[in-house]
Amino acid sequence: MCGTHGSRAPQASSAGQGWGRPWAAASPEEYSFEYGSPRYLLLCGLGGMLSCGLTHLAIVPLDLVKCRMQVDPDKYKGIFSGFGVTVREEGLRGLARGWAPTFIGYSLQGFFKFGLYEVFKIHYKKLLGEEKAYTWRTTLYLAASASAEFSADVALAPMEAVKVRVQTQPDYARTLREAVPKMYAEEGLWAFYKGVAPLWMRQIPYTVMKFACFERTVEALYKYVVPKPQCECTKAEQLGVTFVAGYIAGIFCAIVSHPSDSVVSVLNKEKGSTALEVLRRLGPLGVWKGLFARIIMIGTLTALQWFIYDSVKVYLNLPRPPIAEEPASLKKHK
């Protein structure tokens, strides 16, 4: 057994340094903020904001092509041809269309997703108690992430609606400033929130898979793959495990959330449509258009998000609890 929360942090005076030292080099008193404190949770939200905002901004071109493949499969037949058509018609600048609502929307979503996940995970663990929290830890991860994502999507929905409209209707509006007043004049506030229900359908399965799969994959990697205990690994080694676990989780995330993502893309493009109408029109095969592009996008995205989020915790010297270990009280019963 490697120890408790306090056995893994670097000294507060050397945040961002000492990458060759094991986590076990510090004591609980050397953390910058106490685990679960308001400042700790706020900084976790900041880490989530950076991880989601920056990564989604980086993949705007791929996301644009993916959305266009979903709403106009006859014209955008594949990922590579989709890039070609976009560049021929709009130039390289066309690949950046929708960057502003993407960055703003996913930064807000990341703040609430990661910040509230930490809040709910701590809260649910207290409600369950140590033994049940360990025994039902997968359920705990699922419940905490679903609760967090529900609120995060309310923050994301307006900018997601603008992003899809700008990316899939080139003649409608070219920028965030142009699209928002036009959408409001045509449909009022409903234009920005009509996609929140299918967004929940897409994002909640994605997020519960993202967090639960990540947590259990990290646990499995340290148990079966990494040749030494977690607390003996250097910071760089632990962040490497984070990246691998994040990519594995991202592949599963892409698959479970893709049908709903297709519905959201079409729904936000059209006026007056409902999610059920779009689903019926797309059919069982149409909802899987663009899956390969989404797997590449979401796998890379999820891995980088976890890597950035974990790196922020390292740099700010925040407590990073070790992988779940069976409580001593449960071991006695065996």
Side-chain angles (χ1 to χ4, degrees):
M1 183 173 177
C2 290
T4 61
H5 297 299
S7 64
R8 300 172 58 221
Q11 295 187 8
S13 61
S14 58
Q17 299 178 5
W19 288 85
R21 293 190 314 168
W23 290 108
S27 64
E29 292 76 17
E30 292 170 329
Y31 286 130
S32 55
F33 298 104
E34 182 183 357
Y35 178 75
S37 67
R39 287 188 177 182
Y40 166 82
L41 296 171
L42 184 64
L43 290 173
C44 285
L46 175 62
M49 177 182 288
L50 290 173
S51 70
C52 291
L54 293 177
T55 51
H56 277 277
L57 180 64
I59 60 164
V60 162
L62 185 59
D63 184 43
L64 178 143
V65 172
K66 182 267 301 179
C67 287
R68 290 182 175 182
M69 287 170 60
Q70 291 171 327
V71 303
D72 194 356
D74 293 331
K75 182 175 181 180
Y76 302 91
K77 300 180 183 299
I79 181 171
F80 297 110
S81 63
F83 272 102
V85 171
T86 301
V87 172
R88 282 197 301 273
E89 293 185 351
E90 303 174 53
L92 288 174
R93 291 185 61 183
L95 293 174
R97 185 185 292 272
W99 72 268
T102 297
F103 180 67
I104 295 170
Y106 282 94
S107 293
L108 291 172
Q109 185 218 30
F111 179 84
F112 290 106
K113 179 191 305 199
F114 281 88
L116 289 178
Y117 174 70
E118 300 284 354
V119 171
F120 285 117
K121 188 166 69 168
I122 293 170
H123 178 65
Y124 293 156
K125 186 174 182 179
K126 289 180 179 178
L127 289 177
L128 291 171
E130 187 180 23
E131 291 186 0
K132 288 182 179 179
Y134 175 79
T135 304
W136 299 346
R137 61 193 182 282
T138 301
T139 303
L140 187 152
Y141 302 145
L142 294 172
S145 55
S147 301
E149 188 60 41
F150 184 87
S151 299
D153 287 343
V154 176
L156 169 64
M159 290 296 101
E160 178 74 2
V162 175
K163 175 188 80 73
V164 172
R165 189 69 66 91
V166 169
Q167 289 182 336
T168 60
Q169 290 185 278
D171 297 330
Y172 183 82
R174 299 186 63 86
T175 65
L176 172 67
R177 287 185 298 178
E178 184 182 351
V180 169
K182 193 171 183 179
M183 291 172 64
Y184 182 77
E186 292 177 350
E187 301 180 71
L189 286 176
W190 176 242
F192 304 102
Y193 287 100
K194 69 178 182 179
V196 72
L199 199 57
W200 282 327
M201 292 169 58
R202 181 189 82 184
Q203 289 297 135
I204 290 178
Y206 163 81
T207 298
V208 298
M209 183 66 72
K210 173 179 181 174
F211 282 85
C213 184
F214 173 80
E215 298 268 19
R216 294 308 299 263
T217 301
V218 167
E219 187 179 330
L221 288 174
Y222 280 114
K223 186 175 182 179
Y224 300 110
V225 179
V226 180
K228 54 185 175 181
Q230 180 190 21
C231 61
E232 295 179 10
C233 295
T234 64
K235 297 176 183 179
E237 289 169 340
Q238 289 201 28
L239 288 174
V241 171
T242 293
F243 185 84
V244 172
Y247 211 105
I248 293 171
I251 293 172
F252 287 99
C253 289
I255 295 171
V256 301
S257 63
H258 190 73
S260 296
D261 181 65
S262 297
V263 173
V264 170
S265 294
V266 176
L267 187 66
N268 283 322
K269 175 191 174 185
E270 300 175 350
K271 290 185 291 184
S273 296
T274 66
L276 188 58
E277 290 171 350
V278 171
L279 187 61
R280 287 174 177 170
R281 191 164 69 252
L282 289 174
L285 295 179
V287 295
W288 295 105
K289 287 284 186 180
L291 177 61
F292 178 68
R294 184 167 170 78
I295 286 176
I296 296 173
M297 180 180 77
I298 297 300
T300 305
L301 188 79
T302 305
L304 288 174
Q305 283 179 356
W306 277 114
F307 185 85
I308 293 171
Y309 180 65
D310 235 13
S311 297
V312 170
K313 281 189 171 183
V314 169
Y315 184 78
L316 296 177
N317 194 27
L318 299 179
R320 300 173 64 252
I323 60 173
E325 294 184 355
E326 187 177 24
S329 56
L330 281 178
K331 293 179 181 178
K332 293 178 182 179
H333 296 144
K334 291 186 177 180

